Amino acid sequence: DVWSERVVTVLGQNPGPFTGPGTNTYLVGTSRRPLLLDTGQGVPEYLPLLVGALDEHRGSTELEGIVLTHAHPDHLGGCAQVRERFGELRVRKRPWPGFDADIEADLEAIDHDHVIATEGATLRAIHTPGHAEDHLCYWLEEERALFTGDVVLGAGTTVIPEHGGDLLDYMRSLRALLALEPARIYPAHGPRIDDATGKIREYIAHRELREEQILDQLGRGVGEVSEIVARIYADVPAFLHPAAATSMRSHLRKL
């Protein structure tokens, strides 16, 4: 789908309970050699779509390079697949030792405030830990838009994993993004978000409400995570309760 004159999204073909319809990957820039932001999971059905999108929307068979938000498999798992098809592309992300194993040898390290320029688009990296230690969002200067990776999603809320996640960091990251007053959000999962500041405020309010609910349950003497989850997430399907428990433990560690 075309989301702006410089942003085309190609769905990663990896739908699931935690990825929604799948991972959004992005062709960024207006030239015949755009950047690819995130690579999906490496699903075979993805590559023909990427090739088709390049041909249809850029009249091209080339990419300039790969830029990654973070090291979770549904974001960098397709790196080898893409590089096998398009050649030895530069791969840029914030390093996370132990999690970058598949791309470590080819990785060009970037960090907060690093600027990546391509024809028609200027991306500035913003370190936004909380969902993952290495997570970078990208500020698209020409549109005052944000590629938010898994920090803000087009539908649902972000899981705070027990390994590499930290809710206190996550809340700081949300407030840092809010301070930018973005006009639009391009998330890693779900549709484009046109009310960017409204969505970020909604995310902050959601976490603050969860914290109030947890404190209420603790005040009632409920101490087991599974029981707190069952009470607070009563309207959520049971198969999602383990993920809810992960976020619950993140809230408890923050408290």
Side-chain angles (χ1 to χ4, degrees):
D1 196 10
V2 178
W3 284 3
S4 82
E5 64 176 316
R6 55 181 57 82
V7 177
V8 174
T9 181
V10 185
L11 196 59
Q13 304 306 300
N14 56 325
F18 303 112
T19 58
T23 303
N24 295 332
T25 73
Y26 292 99
L27 298 175
V28 182
T30 56
S31 78
R32 290 173 55 84
R33 298 179 68 243
L35 293 168
L36 178 64
L37 197 153
D38 282 347
T39 64
Q41 201 159 322
V43 175
E45 292 81 6
Y46 167 73
L47 198 60
L49 293 182
L50 177 62
V51 171
L54 263 172
D55 178 51
E56 180 179 353
H57 299 294
R58 295 295 179 265
S60 172
T61 59
E62 297 180 80
L63 292 169
E64 180 180 337
I66 295 169
V67 181
L68 298 172
T69 55
H70 62 297
H72 288 162
D74 60 315
H75 296 263
L76 60 65
C79 272
Q81 175 194 46
V82 171
R83 295 178 88 234
E84 183 178 353
R85 172 64 178 77
F86 292 96
E88 300 299 307
L89 300 171
R90 298 167 73 187
V91 181
R92 284 173 278 190
K93 73 177 291 291
R94 189 178 195 272
W96 190 4
F99 288 81
D100 295 328
D102 292 343
I103 60 167
E104 217 160 50
D106 307 304
L107 182 62
E108 182 178 321
I110 61 173
D111 209 333
H112 182 73
D113 263 349
H114 189 101
V115 174
I116 300 170
T118 188
E119 187 175 318
T122 309
L123 297 176
R124 180 165 62 86
I126 304 168
H127 185 214
T128 45
H131 173 73
E133 289 179 14
D134 64 331
H135 200 291
L136 294 175
C137 292
Y138 293 94
W139 176 253
L140 179 56
E141 292 185 1
E142 289 79 2
E143 297 184 9
R144 293 192 57 81
L146 274 168
F147 293 95
T148 53
D150 281 353
V151 173
V152 180
L153 308 179
T157 55
T158 301
V159 172
I160 308 301
E162 293 182 68
H163 301 290
D166 184 285
L167 187 57
L168 193 57
D169 283 343
Y170 182 68
M171 297 300 286
R172 289 178 182 137
S173 292
L174 287 177
R175 291 190 170 96
L177 296 182
L178 183 61
L180 294 171
E181 298 183 348
R184 178 181 289 173
I185 285 173
Y186 299 122
H189 304 278
R192 185 182 72 193
I193 301 166
D194 292 321
D195 180 10
T197 57
K199 175 60 77 171
I200 297 170
R201 288 193 181 99
E202 177 187 315
Y203 262 47
I204 292 170
H206 168 77
R207 294 293 176 178
E208 289 175 341
L209 174 61
R210 280 284 183 256
E211 194 161 290
E212 291 173 9
Q213 292 171 326
I214 291 166
L215 287 169
D216 177 65
Q217 292 300 318
L218 293 172
R220 296 170 186 267
V222 181
E224 292 292 332
V225 169
S226 58
E227 190 174 350
I228 297 174
V229 168
R231 292 178 179 222
I232 293 178
Y233 291 85
D235 58 341
V236 173
F239 76 89
L240 290 174
H241 282 194
T246 295
S247 286
M248 183 68 58
R249 285 188 283 271
S250 296
H251 274 279
L252 292 169
R253 280 196 299 274
K254 173 180 178 292
L255 289 167

